[in-house]
């Protein structure tokens, strides 16, 4: 049977419950929620005067009611040391989600640690150090002293290249302006660490270099643009599943208002099916291109639109660079940038040629061009909002493909205007505020590859799990286990010895090729199994945390509960580490270097916010953000006036483009010529193996997965990562639904559960990425682009049966995920 | 997402195709949640035993509109023609579900081809052959299913529900 909670009533929120602002900390959309807390020995009643809603709860409430919450929205947690009831429910007054909850956010309460209800017992409560062959609990001072002592042996004032750092750069979750500043001040301020990487990629780099180099920030619109536009174009993204309430609350109304939809995706997703319901099938165009051929498509669209004269000549003349080449192609710029004419000449490709490369009808490419840019019958310009995400960001030829898409937006005058935008849909929220990262260099060091090659002595990891989410993961794990085991063995051999002797043993093991691994996280992650020191962090809600969403909406999530045990905000962990570094370096006689670690006297996360973000944005304070509630303010904030923070609805409305830092304020076009599969090894893999192993996330397996591996509702739906296969392909490899298969190629192997999918293209599968039970990255080769952007999407492998469907999947639904209308 | 039928109105009319309305019989036992919170969380409410129909009323894969545990809680009973977990009756194939989407309370459509309940509000899909598991969607719980019993006359009784129904903080009001 499907998982059922067997809960048939819930405590009622009393009228005087405490209310706290919450922004969902999972995806970039950042839906507004309210957290209600009240004493454990109190509850409200069904009479209107006795509950927070003022509603008669003895009656059935209507559709879309505010006066209901699901069991997943309830828990019992600690607040100021006392047990309290907690309800976290969507906020109807938040303009982002208008009361809608996603399958992720609407389980925030259930996914809090509770010692009363027993949820999320996997959360880390105290620092742990590898001792006596396992991880043993210890104090913060003991753990941080060991980290500082070992780290200090491998850093010099002018050379910190043996310290490798993996650190999140995002908002939401356990990120945000407070925590990116805390970690950033330590590694980019006190130190200048070069060998670092970000949580989801093997280097410290932008995912959209070309858009920024062209002068266009990747989050330039407002969500309301989807309701104001004529065409919504979605590229390499599946927003119904991964930006759910942006899709439901902004895109669907746009389609219901008559907008057309273009989807560029090799796979038919549930987003396409839902758009057909909302807009009418005749108003939805799906271009199921051959995987990785997007550049040919976008270049053909631009060529056709230019030839038809549908470009926005005035916009190009006033807002874009006019004279030939502005930036030459080089090792730092994978294609030249410059004027429209220069770029058009370089990228020109016919619709017929693109149709052959992309494997879609030429007529459909022309239809897409018309839907994007053909002027209306009255001669007015057509508006188009374009959204893209990992399908191209983590796909073929990142720099050129993003550039070729931004070209289209610029040429048609769709950036900086109502109903326009060429934007990332995004993953996490944003929340980046750090000292400059120029010392990292461009291209940035390929950190995971350097670790494989034996580089690095000490590795600090902040909420990264390479084991689940990197490329070339088979090799990475093998080497990482070996190197960290060398240190574990040395620590085991030094059991019972003094701190000095222990540090010397660790240093010797590192010098013999070992790696000392420090893991800061909220749970004991997979890469954390290799760690020598584990430091427990808290998340949004267990601390005050500020982030901005995909339309740059800045909000404060208020702390509504205590963190587990002695877990701390990352910014305060970084501060503690800095203070221990200062002490240890002083003791070593390196007083000059030690003095660089001053300035971390923060008692709270708000102190870190004031030290970082607020210094650059003096109008923005916690009090003012709290007053702005779940609607917050769209960045950049312009002024504080009449008790309110005022912001910026969309960027570039003045036609001045500055993201590249050019003084002329002119946007650049990209000479993004199509050049086939760019990353090394991809074409050979395609030629050798039978199946495309396309990959990505699902509605319930997304940025919540680290918690949801311990959630019954989610793990009951997909006990193992699925791989969607066409029934004919299933016959070819002789498997049934639910069977476990091995996916293998020359780079590694992994496993998944077969999910029959009629709409899949033959020879093209789709596997869940980032699963704890089957790492898709095991079969992704190590090929990256010139700026070390990984290509996860273009992966080919063979498939063979491992086992009949296990008992754990015997009860689950293997039906089509597509909604069917009456 | 506004401007749709309100649930309370929907509950008083038949919205699924076909089927005859079964009479709700037993008076509902109103249990106010006045116990300490922890007990309230684990204790179950007292459900009425309501006759929803007779096995002879059912044809394979033809939904029968019902309501349970009261007339404001619309649902459906189905004879699936194959034995399923939780199924009752001589063939172990009769199941009953709430037809109100546990995401935002929209009334759902039954698709006989796929044997799923589908929500026109936000595109969620529930599999009636898999205990109401959400095949895809936004609800944070699987579809509330009725605990059914069939007596020797073929009368089908509902005697409980396994998840919280949308729009009420106690399944029995």
């Amino acid at each position: 049977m499907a998982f059922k909670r067997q809960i048939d009533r819930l405590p009622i929120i009393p009228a005087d419950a405490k209310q706290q602002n919450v922004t969902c900390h999972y995806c970039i959309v950042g839906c507004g929620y309210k957290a209600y807390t009240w004493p454990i020995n109190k509850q409200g009643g069904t009479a209107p005067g006795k509950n927070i809603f003022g509603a008669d709860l003895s009656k059935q409430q209507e559709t879309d009611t505010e006066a209901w919450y699901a069991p997943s929205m309830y828990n019992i947690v600690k607040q100021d040391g006392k047990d309290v009831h907690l309800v976290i429910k969507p906020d109807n007054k938040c303009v982002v989600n208008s009361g809608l909850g996603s399958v992720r956010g609407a389980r925030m309460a259930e996914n809090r640690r509770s010692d009363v209800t027993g949820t999320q017992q996997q959360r880390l409560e105290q620092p742990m150090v590898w001792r006596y062959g396992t991880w043993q609990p210890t104090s913060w001072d003991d753990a941080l002293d060991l980290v500082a002592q070992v780290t200090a042996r491998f850093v010099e004032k002018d050379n910190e290249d043996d310290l490798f750092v993996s650190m999140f750069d995002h908002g939401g979750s356990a990120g945000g302006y407070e925590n990116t500043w805390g970690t950033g001040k330590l590694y980019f301020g006190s130190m200048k660490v070069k060998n670092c990487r970000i949580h989801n990629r093997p280097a410290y780099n932008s995912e959209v270099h070309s858009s920024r180099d062209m002068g266009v920030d990747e989050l330039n619109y407002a969500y309301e643009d989807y309701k104001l536009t004529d065409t919504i174009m979605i590229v390499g993204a599946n927003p119904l599943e991964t930006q759910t309430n942006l899709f439901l609350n902004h895109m669907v109304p746009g389609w219901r208002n008559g907008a057309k939809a273009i989807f560029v995706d090799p796979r038919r997703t549930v987003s396409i099916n839902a758009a057909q319901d909302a807009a009418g099938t005749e108003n939805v165009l799906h271009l199921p291109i051959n995987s990785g051929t997007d550049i040919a498509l976008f270049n053909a669209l631009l060529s056709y639109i230019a030839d038809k004269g549908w470009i926005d000549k005035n916009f190009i003349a006033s807002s874009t660079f006019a004279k030939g080449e502005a930036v030459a192609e080089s090792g730092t710029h994978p294609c030249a940038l410059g004027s429209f004419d220069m770029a058009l000449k370089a990228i020109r490709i016919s619709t017929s040629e693109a149709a052959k490369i992309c494997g879609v009808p030429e007529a459909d490419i022309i239809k897409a061009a018309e839907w994007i840019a053909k002027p209306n019958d009255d001669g007015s310009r057509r508006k188009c909002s374009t959204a893209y995400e990992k399908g191209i960001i983590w796909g073929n030829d990142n720099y050129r493909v993003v550039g070729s898409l931004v070209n289209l937006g610029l040429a048609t005058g769709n950036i900086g205007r109502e109903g326009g935008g060429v934007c990332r849909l995004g993953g996490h929220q944003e929340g980046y505020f750090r000292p400059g990262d120029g010392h990292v260099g461009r291209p940035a060091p390929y950190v995971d590859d350097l670790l494989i090659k034996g580089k690095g002595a000490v590795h600090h990891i902040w909420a990264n799990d390479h084991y689940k989410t990197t490329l070339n993961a088979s090799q990475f794990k093998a080497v990482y286990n070996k190197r960290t085991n060398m240190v574990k063995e040395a620590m085991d051999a030094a059991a019972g010895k003094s701190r000095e002797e222990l540090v010397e043993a660790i240093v010797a093991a590192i010098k013999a090729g070992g790696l000392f691994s420090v893991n800061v996280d909220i749970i004991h992650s997979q890469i954390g199994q290799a760690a020598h020191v584990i430091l427990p962090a808290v998340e949004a809600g267990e601390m005050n945390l500020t982030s901005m969403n995909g339309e740059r909406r800045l909000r404060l999530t208020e702390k509504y509960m205590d963190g587990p045990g002695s877990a701390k905000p990352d910014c305060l962990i970084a501060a503690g580490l800095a203070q221990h570094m200062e002490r240890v370096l002083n003791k070593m006689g390196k007083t000059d270097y030690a003095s660089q670690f001053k300035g971390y006297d923060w008692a709270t996360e708000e102190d870190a916010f004031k030290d970082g973000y607020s210094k650059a944005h003096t109008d923005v304070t916690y009090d003012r953000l709290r007053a702005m509630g779940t609607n917050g303010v769209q960045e950049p904030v312009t002024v504080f006036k009449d008790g309110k923070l005022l912001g910026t609805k969309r960027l570039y409305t003045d036609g001045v483009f500055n993201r590249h830092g050019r003084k002329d304020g002119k946007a650049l076009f990209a000479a993004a010529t199509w050049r086939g599969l760019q990353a090394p090894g991809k074409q050979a893999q395609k030629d050798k193996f039978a199946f495309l192993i396309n990959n990505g996330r699902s509605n319930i397996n997304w940025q919540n997965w680290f918690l949801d591996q311990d959630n019954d509702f989610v793990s009951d739906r997909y006990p193992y990562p699925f791989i969607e296969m066409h029934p004919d392909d299933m016959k070819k490899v002789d498997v049934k639904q639910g069977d476990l298969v091995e996916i293998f190629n020359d780079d590694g192997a992994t496993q998944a559960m077969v999910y029959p999918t009629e709409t899949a293209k033959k020879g093209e599968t789709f596997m869940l990425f980032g699963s704890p039970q089957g790492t898709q990255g095991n079969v992704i080769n190590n090929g990256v682009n010139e700026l070390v952007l990984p290509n996860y999407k273009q992966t080919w492998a063979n498939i063979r049966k491992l086992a009949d469907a296990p008992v754990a999947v015997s009860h689950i639904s293997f039906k089509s995920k597509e909604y069917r209308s009456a | 997402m506004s401007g749709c039928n309100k649930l309370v109105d929907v509950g008083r009319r038949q919205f699924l195709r076909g089927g005859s309305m079964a009479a709700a019989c037993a008076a509902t036992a109103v249990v106010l949640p006045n116990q300490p919170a922890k007990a309230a969380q684990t204790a179950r409410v007292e459900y009425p035993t309501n006759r929803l129909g007779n096995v002879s009323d059912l044809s394979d894969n033809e939904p029968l509109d019902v309501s349970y545990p009261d007339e404001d809680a619309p649902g459906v009973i189905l004879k699936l023609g194959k034995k399923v977990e939780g199924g009752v009756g001589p063939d172990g194939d009769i199941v009953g579900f709430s037809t109100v989407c546990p995401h935002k309370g929209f009334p759902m459509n039954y698709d006989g081809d796929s044997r799923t309940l589908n929500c026109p509000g936000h595109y969620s899909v529930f599999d009636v052959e898999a205990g109401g598991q959400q095949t895809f969607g936004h609800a944070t719980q699987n579809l509330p299913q009725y605990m059914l019993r069939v007596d020797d006359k073929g009368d089908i009784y509902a005697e409980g529900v396994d998840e919280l129904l949308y729009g009420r903080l106690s399944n029995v009001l």
Side-chain angles (χ1 to χ4, degrees):
Chain A
M1 282 287 285
F3 169 73
K4 299 292 174 69
R5 291 184 182 81
Q6 303 293 352
I7 289 174
D8 50 16
R9 61 179 154 181
L10 289 172
I12 293 171
I13 308 173
D16 60 352
K18 188 174 170 188
Q19 296 187 40
Q20 292 119 133
N21 296 317
V22 172
T23 302
C24 175
H25 56 277
Y26 295 128
C27 95
I28 186 159
V29 179
C31 294
Y33 283 73
K34 289 277 186 188
Y36 302 89
T37 49
W38 70 99
I40 193 69
N41 60 339
K42 306 278 184 195
Q43 62 180 314
T46 54
K50 295 212 160 178
N51 62 70
I52 194 86
F53 310 113
D56 180 358
L57 297 179
S58 69
K59 297 202 168 103
Q60 171 72 40
Q61 305 300 303
E62 55 191 27
T63 301
D64 238 350
T65 182
E66 194 169 10
W68 186 73
Y69 37 99
S72 64
M73 301 178 199
Y74 173 80
N75 212 335
I76 297 171
V77 298
K78 285 260 193 301
Q79 186 182 67
D80 300 326
K82 291 177 185 158
D83 284 331
V84 293
H85 298 274
L86 168 71
V87 169
I88 308 177
K89 61 186 291 297
D91 183 3
N92 288 39
K93 295 183 185 68
C94 176
V95 296
V96 174
N97 54 312
S98 305
L100 288 173
S102 74
V103 73
R104 303 169 296 277
R107 290 183 298 106
M108 270 188 283
E110 180 176 76
N111 270 346
R112 304 284 54 165
R113 184 190 162 99
S114 171
D115 290 327
V116 176
T117 61
T119 52
Q120 289 298 324
Q121 294 297 300
Q122 64 169 340
R123 288 290 304 275
L124 295 169
E125 288 190 288
Q126 55 199 341
M128 294 192 288
V129 171
W130 183 264
R131 280 190 189 122
Y132 329 126
T134 186
W135 294 277
Q136 295 286 344
T138 193
S139 68
W140 278 100
D141 276 344
D142 180 56
L144 289 175
D145 174 73
L146 182 61
V147 174
Q149 288 218 38
V150 175
T151 303
R153 295 290 290 270
F154 292 94
V155 290
E156 298 289 340
K157 190 169 163 54
D158 301 317
N159 183 355
E160 287 141 344
D161 292 352
D162 282 340
L163 171 58
F164 278 46
V165 177
S166 300
M167 54 179 173
F168 59 82
D169 72 338
H170 55 71
S173 201
Y177 288 115
E178 295 80 3
N179 292 327
T180 60
W181 175 247
T183 47
K185 184 171 181 175
L186 176 60
Y187 296 112
F188 291 172
S190 299
M191 293 187 266
K192 295 285 178 207
V193 170
K194 181 181 176 192
N195 290 317
C196 49
R197 59 102 94 183
I198 295 172
H199 57 283
N200 62 2
R201 50 195 186 272
Y204 202 90
N205 50 13
S206 167
E207 289 178 287
V208 289
H209 280 110
S210 50
S211 184
R212 294 177 182 182
D213 290 348
M214 293 162 79
V216 180
D217 189 275
E218 65 272 20
L219 301 175
N220 47 64
Y221 63 14
Y223 283 169
E224 70 169 34
D225 284 318
Y226 290 115
K227 295 176 193 162
L228 303 172
T229 194
D230 299 311
T231 296
I232 297 172
M233 176 163 167
I234 294 173
V235 177
N238 179 15
L240 176 56
E241 297 204 61
T242 52
Q243 292 85 17
T244 301
N245 291 327
L246 170 58
F247 185 97
L248 292 173
N249 205 36
H250 301 272
M251 292 179 180
V252 164
W255 288 317
R256 288 188 177 155
N257 285 343
K260 293 186 184 297
I262 302 170
F263 285 87
V264 180
D265 198 318
R267 177 173 71 120
R268 179 179 161 87
T269 61
V270 289
S271 295
I272 297 169
N273 178 64
Q276 287 178 331
D277 182 79
T281 305
E282 69 282 8
N283 293 315
V284 178
L285 176 62
H286 177 203
L287 295 167
I289 59 169
N290 292 327
S291 182
T293 61
D294 308 67
I295 295 171
L297 173 68
F298 303 149
N299 288 350
L301 289 171
L302 184 59
S303 303
Y304 187 86
I305 286 168
D307 289 347
K308 286 285 177 184
W310 297 339
I311 56 171
D312 191 327
K313 293 192 182 73
N314 291 338
F315 178 85
I316 291 172
S318 62
S319 290
T320 71
F321 183 79
K323 296 173 193 159
E325 186 176 275
V327 181
E329 182 176 335
S330 69
T332 56
H333 292 79
C335 70
L337 308 171
S339 70
F340 175 71
D341 291 337
M342 186 274 308
L344 182 62
K345 196 174 165 194
I347 62 96
R348 185 171 277 288
I349 187 170
S350 68
T351 48
S352 61
E353 177 73 10
K356 276 186 224 146
I357 295 168
C358 301
V360 295
E362 183 182 6
D364 281 354
I365 298 178
I366 291 170
K367 189 195 267 189
E370 290 173 346
W371 285 11
I372 292 167
K374 186 180 179 182
N376 298 314
D377 291 342
D378 63 1
S380 59
R381 65 177 281 275
R382 197 175 168 84
K383 292 177 280 188
C384 179
S385 287
T386 301
Y388 64 96
E389 196 36 51
K390 292 292 189 284
I392 60 171
I393 287 174
W394 282 354
N396 179 37
D397 212 351
N398 168 290
Y399 194 89
R400 292 192 180 191
V401 71
V402 172
S404 64
L405 188 59
V406 176
N407 277 348
L408 264 177
L410 286 172
T412 55
N414 271 308
I415 303 179
R417 291 193 174 147
E418 279 192 2
V422 178
C423 298
R424 280 193 60 182
L425 285 172
H428 290 92
Q429 286 189 75
E430 304 293 329
Y432 188 94
F433 193 80
R434 277 180 176 149
D437 61 359
H439 64 278
V440 172
R442 176 169 161 163
Y446 187 172
V447 162
D448 288 19
D449 201 47
L450 292 172
L451 285 167
I452 288 170
K453 287 175 174 150
K455 305 290 185 193
V458 177
H459 190 194
H460 294 182
I461 305 171
W462 299 76
N464 283 221
D465 198 346
H466 310 228
Y467 278 30
K468 289 186 309 196
T469 58
T470 194
L471 68 172
N472 196 21
S474 297
Q475 200 187 355
F476 181 87
K477 284 180 275 198
V479 173
Y480 202 88
N481 283 341
K482 188 176 171 198
R483 295 186 65 193
T484 51
N485 270 333
M486 290 169 70
V487 174
K488 282 182 180 171
E489 285 167 15
M491 293 175 83
D492 290 344
K497 303 262 177 75
S498 68
R499 171 56 50 97
E500 291 70 26
E501 288 169 313
L502 175 66
V503 170
E504 289 306 326
I506 292 170
V507 168
I510 291 170
K511 287 186 172 164
L515 184 71
F516 184 72
S517 182
V518 180
N519 199 287
V520 189
D521 212 321
I522 64 163
I523 59 166
H524 197 173
S525 65
Q526 292 200 349
I527 197 170
Q529 305 297 321
H532 307 102
V533 178
I534 296 169
L535 304 173
V538 299
E539 282 195 296
E542 299 160 348
M543 64 176 285
N544 296 289
L545 191 145
T546 52
S547 305
M548 82 172 192
N549 80 345
E551 56 174 351
R552 308 171 319 284
R553 191 175 293 278
L554 170 67
R555 285 159 298 176
L556 169 68
T557 289
E558 295 180 85
K559 179 178 177 179
Y560 53 78
M561 65 178 283
D562 303 344
S566 67
K568 294 182 187 183
D570 290 83
C571 55
L572 299 185
I573 298 173
L577 181 51
Q579 287 158 350
H580 278 269
M581 287 293 291
E582 183 192 7
R583 179 182 56 76
V584 168
L585 288 168
N586 271 326
K587 206 172 165 191
M588 291 166 76
K590 299 182 176 181
T591 52
D592 194 24
Y593 191 23
S595 67
Q596 291 178 201
F597 294 86
K598 289 187 184 299
Y600 293 88
D601 302 325
W602 307 328
T604 66
E605 58 272 25
E606 188 172 6
D607 291 339
F609 186 76
K610 286 177 183 165
D611 188 55
Y613 186 90
S614 268
K615 274 195 183 151
H617 307 86
T618 48
D619 284 331
V620 182
T621 66
Y622 268 21
D623 282 344
R624 290 174 182 180
L625 282 174
R626 202 174 287 118
M628 297 300 287
T630 55
N631 285 328
V633 57
Q634 284 178 273
E635 295 193 73
V637 173
T638 52
V639 68
F640 179 71
K641 196 177 165 189
D642 302 331
K644 282 185 176 176
L645 291 166
L646 300 181
T648 309
K649 186 175 271 188
R650 56 180 70 74
L651 304 182
Y652 311 126
T653 51
D654 57 0
V656 176
F657 291 86
N658 50 18
R659 190 64 177 83
H660 44 29
R662 293 173 62 87
K663 290 210 171 62
D664 63 6
K666 305 289 187 194
L668 305 176
F669 286 87
T673 313
W674 162 249
R675 54 175 166 168
L677 289 175
Q678 172 272 330
K682 292 294 177 189
Q683 186 62 47
Q685 201 183 55
K686 181 181 182 183
D687 294 342
K688 185 170 175 182
F689 295 98
F691 294 100
L692 173 73
I693 314 295
N694 190 5
N695 55 88
R697 306 294 196 143
S698 83
N699 201 33
I700 62 170
N701 305 110
W702 185 205
Q703 277 144 339
N704 43 312
W705 212 344
F706 53 97
L707 293 176
D708 279 335
Q709 61 187 351
D710 190 31
N711 181 281
D712 290 327
F713 173 72
V714 167
S715 53
D716 174 74
R717 175 67 188 106
Y718 296 128
Y720 308 109
F722 61 71
I723 183 165
E724 294 178 352
M725 294 179 74
H726 189 276
D728 289 355
D729 287 341
M730 289 170 58
K731 274 186 207 143
K732 260 189 206 165
V733 292
D734 194 22
V735 290
K736 305 176 300 297
Q737 70 181 26
D739 285 358
L740 298 181
V741 291
E742 182 167 66
I743 298 106
F744 63 101
N745 59 21
D746 293 340
D747 294 286
T750 188
Q751 71 177 64
M753 167 190 81
V754 173
Y755 201 107
T757 304
E758 292 278 354
T759 55
K761 282 199 274 185
K762 289 177 195 173
E764 298 197 357
T765 70
F766 178 85
M767 180 176 167
L768 268 178
F769 178 85
S771 168
Q773 278 94 18
T775 302
Q776 197 273 338
N778 288 359
V779 293
I780 301 172
N781 78 336
N782 65 356
V784 293
N785 87 340
E786 294 90 336
L787 300 177
V788 201
L789 265 294
N791 179 343
Y792 297 128
K793 302 291 184 183
Q794 277 77 46
T795 294
W796 286 267
N798 287 343
I799 296 173
R800 64 183 160 218
K801 181 168 172 172
L802 281 177
D804 285 331
V807 172
V809 310
S810 60
H811 70 287
I812 73 172
S813 176
F814 283 102
K815 290 180 180 172
S816 167
K817 299 162 195 168
E818 293 192 1
Y819 161 81
R820 297 182 187 211
S821 58
Chain B
M1 291 297 147
S2 58
C4 293
N5 292 325
K6 297 300 185 188
L7 176 60
V8 283
D9 300 327
V10 170
R12 294 196 173 95
R13 65 182 177 85
Q14 294 179 54
F15 63 89
L16 288 166
R17 64 192 162 88
S20 57
M21 195 63 180
C25 52
T28 56
V30 178
V31 179
L32 292 171
N34 54 2
Q35 295 96 331
K38 198 173 172 186
Q41 216 208 343
T42 50
R44 304 272 291 164
V45 298
E46 192 173 330
Y47 283 95
T49 296
N50 290 2
R51 180 183 174 280
L52 300 184
N54 189 279
V55 172
S56 62
D57 300 332
L58 295 171
S59 308
D60 275 6
N61 205 24
E62 284 293 323
L64 176 68
D65 289 354
V66 298
S67 60
Y68 183 80
D70 54 61
E71 63 170 6
D72 285 338
V76 66
I77 51 177
L78 282 156
K79 182 172 168 58
L80 295 169
K82 74 168 194 184
K83 190 175 165 73
V84 293
E85 275 192 81
V88 297
D91 304 318
D93 65 344
I94 297 171
V95 291
F97 293 96
S98 163
T99 50
V100 178
C101 183
H103 175 225
K104 296 300 285 183
F106 285 71
M108 297 197 282
N109 317 306
Y110 183 67
D111 180 71
D113 292 337
S114 62
R115 302 188 178 208
T116 55
L117 281 158
N118 290 260
C119 180
H122 309 98
Y123 314 110
S124 298
V125 179
F126 298 87
D127 188 344
V128 298
E129 294 181 310
Q133 188 173 55
Q134 185 171 243
T135 306
F136 167 81
H138 318 291
T140 53
Q141 59 197 69
N142 293 312
L143 195 58
Q145 183 168 5
Y146 301 152
M147 296 176 70
L148 297 177
R149 175 174 61 83
V150 177
D151 70 10
D152 49 11
K153 296 196 293 288
D155 285 337
I156 304 166
Y157 294 90
E159 301 186 312
V161 180
D162 60 8
E163 277 281 7
L164 191 66
L165 296 167
Y166 182 87
R168 44 181 76 191
L169 293 175
S170 173
N171 273 353
V172 176
L173 293 172

